[in-house]
Amino acid sequence: QRQTVGVIFGGRSGEHEVSLRSAATILSALDPEKYNPLPIGITRAGQWVTGPAASEMLSPTSSPDAVAALDTDAPALAPPAKVLTALADVLPQLDVAIPVLHGTYGEDGTIQGLFEMLGLPYVGCGVLASATGMDKIVMKQLFRQSGLPVVDFRWFARHEWVANAQRLTDSIVEELGFPLFVKPANLGSSVGITRVDDVSNFKSAVELAARYDRRIIVEKGYDVREIEVSVLGNDHPEASLPGEIISSAAFYDYADKYSPDSQSQLVIPARLTPDQTAAIRALAVRAFQALDGAGLARVDFFLLPQTGEIMVNEINTMPGFTRISMYPKLWEASGRSLPSILNQLIDLALARHAEKT
Ligand code: ADP
Ligand code: MG
Ligand code: MG
């Protein structure tokens, strides 16, 4: 008896487009002998769709250019009654769900909470790890409290900025200096992030970030090597070999991540000393456990070339899952194929569910 696996994609997120590509990859890699995949789309307006409408969302011709799509304003929210009817139609058919949603309303604990309420097993992190991992402020505070090295940062709420822009600017610049990275607290794929090299660009950077979230984080910027590790497991998580991103832009921004003519490169395995590799893999597992991770996550690091210092930049609890994405590529280099990773993730989801009930 094959298991019905709901692959959920799209969503009300700045990373809607990326999710479509990740989901297409997962749908094509699920072992057809074991699983009956059911594509489930969530439109930008939050409407759940299945059948031909879901497949249509995944067809390459229906996706506008990813970068351009970021600037389209979110459409009016679908009415709750309509969403509930759609959910009642589709969710009872599932044995397990894979929420292949990046960013808000998907990677942030919201859909995980829905599944918990329904008693439906799902792949990946639970509510707590998803929510804390998505929020760069809380994530970095928790990492710091767990003794993990993170960059210096400050944060403030949008309303504080509105009331006190000049005072905030002065105190942050004095404390952190330049360059700075200004980011919305909750998001990913570098959406809404600006590198700021002098004070004249600070205001516009904050205003951009404030379009995406009510809380803004400002970090001390460094010249960094960027190293990433895939983590897989529940109680005994395993870390893959590290990979390195060689970005071709001023930093690893949205276009560099996803545009077809991006010149950025993945170096797998990263060129590191055996000691550095071991240290980074151990930190990846500690970061995963600091937030009570489950299933999977990709943990991203900064390596400061001058001093050799290693810092945890962030955890991504639903990392990019396209054919060319780091998460599956790191496992491939560590000897595990995409279909076998998906089998394992589903088994981990079922094991975690069985533990709860
Ligand atoms: P996202 O969740 O959107 O990927 P990140 O915090 O990883 O957000 O930032 C995106 C990219 O911006 C990083 O991969 C890196 O290239 C650059 N970056 C972010 N913060 C810093 C920093 N403090 N110093 C140097 N580069 C940074
Ligand atoms: Mg991220
Ligand atoms: Mg990142």
Side-chain angles (χ1 to χ4, degrees):
Q1 177 82 43
R2 292 186 310 160
Q3 284 171 313
T4 301
V5 181
V7 177
I8 302 163
F9 53 84
R12 291 163 55 201
S13 163
E15 294 174 273
H16 179 100
E17 295 292 329
V18 184
S19 165
L20 303 183
R21 292 198 234 172
S22 294
T25 302
I26 288 177
L27 282 162
S28 69
L30 278 170
D31 181 352
E33 308 256 292
K34 296 184 70 166
Y35 305 116
N36 167 35
L38 187 70
I40 302 169
I42 304 178
T43 67
R44 288 178 189 285
Q47 181 63 49
W48 291 53
V49 298
T50 51
S55 308
E56 171 62 20
M57 278 178 72
L58 291 175
S59 84
T61 50
S62 73
S63 312
D65 173 68
V67 178
L70 285 175
D71 289 324
T72 57
D73 287 321
L77 208 52
K82 260 183 96 179
V83 173
L84 281 178
T85 321
L87 291 179
D89 272 354
V90 61
L91 294 179
Q93 302 175 41
L94 306 181
D95 295 306
V96 58
I98 314 185
V100 194
L101 298 165
H102 308 306
T104 43
Y105 305 107
E107 192 175 349
D108 60 356
T110 51
I111 202 168
Q112 290 75 12
L114 173 67
F115 296 150
E116 294 286 348
M117 295 291 290
L118 295 169
L120 178 65
Y122 57 94
V123 164
C125 288
V127 173
L128 182 74
S130 301
T132 54
M134 178 90 293
D135 188 289
K136 291 182 164 59
I137 300 164
V138 175
M139 168 181 69
K140 284 177 199 223
Q141 288 169 336
L142 290 176
F143 284 163
R144 203 157 55 185
Q145 281 180 15
S146 300
L148 296 163
V150 295
V151 298
D152 287 339
F153 66 91
R154 285 273 303 269
W155 72 273
F156 53 86
R158 191 160 51 195
H159 71 87
E160 294 177 79
W161 175 259
V162 172
N164 260 322
Q166 193 56 51
R167 205 157 1 120
L168 274 173
T169 306
D170 293 345
S171 85
I172 289 173
V173 167
E174 186 185 308
E175 186 179 328
L176 301 177
F178 293 104
L180 294 170
F181 278 80
V182 179
K183 315 177 181 183
N186 285 271
L187 217 72
S189 291
S190 302
V191 175
I193 296 183
T194 312
R195 176 186 156 121
V196 177
D197 287 288
D198 61 78
V199 74
S200 65
N201 298 317
F202 189 70
K203 180 170 181 278
S204 58
V206 171
E207 281 164 8
L208 176 69
R211 279 173 49 191
Y212 294 98
D213 200 353
R214 13 182 316 280
R215 283 150 77 249
I216 291 125
I217 179 169
V218 182
E219 298 177 6
K220 190 173 169 63
Y222 298 87
D223 285 323
V224 293
R225 286 177 68 189
E226 298 196 63
I227 311 291
E228 304 188 342
V229 176
S230 298
V231 178
L232 179 70
N234 287 346
D235 289 344
H236 305 287
E238 296 174 84
S240 71
L241 291 170
E244 178 164 7
I245 308 276
I246 314 271
S247 122
S248 61
F251 69 96
Y252 195 36
D253 62 11
Y254 189 91
D256 213 28
K257 284 177 179 172
Y258 303 112
S259 136
D261 38 51
S262 159
Q263 301 289 303
S264 71
Q265 288 171 25
L266 310 188
V267 180
I268 301 173
R271 293 189 195 97
L272 299 169
T273 67
D275 282 355
Q276 285 174 322
T277 298
I280 287 175
R281 293 175 79 176
L283 284 171
V285 170
R286 279 177 61 198
F288 187 82
Q289 291 176 324
L291 305 188
D292 191 28
L296 79 162
R298 197 189 71 227
V299 183
D300 297 350
F301 295 88
F302 293 150
L303 174 61
L304 274 51
Q306 273 86 16
T307 60
E309 201 178 335
I310 297 163
M311 292 186 286
V312 183
N313 172 35
E314 62 159 347
I315 189 167
N316 294 288
T317 54
M318 187 48 74
F321 232 109
T322 69
R323 290 243 172 252
I324 58 158
S325 293
M326 195 58 124
Y327 188 87
K329 286 199 148 231
L330 287 176
W331 283 123
E332 206 180 297
S334 313
R336 300 193 204 174
S337 70
L338 183 51
S340 76
I341 292 296
L342 291 171
N343 289 350
Q344 216 177 327
L345 285 170
I346 290 171
D347 289 346
L348 287 165
L350 297 172
R352 191 154 179 274
H353 183 72
E355 215 177 44
K356 272 183 269 192
T357 47

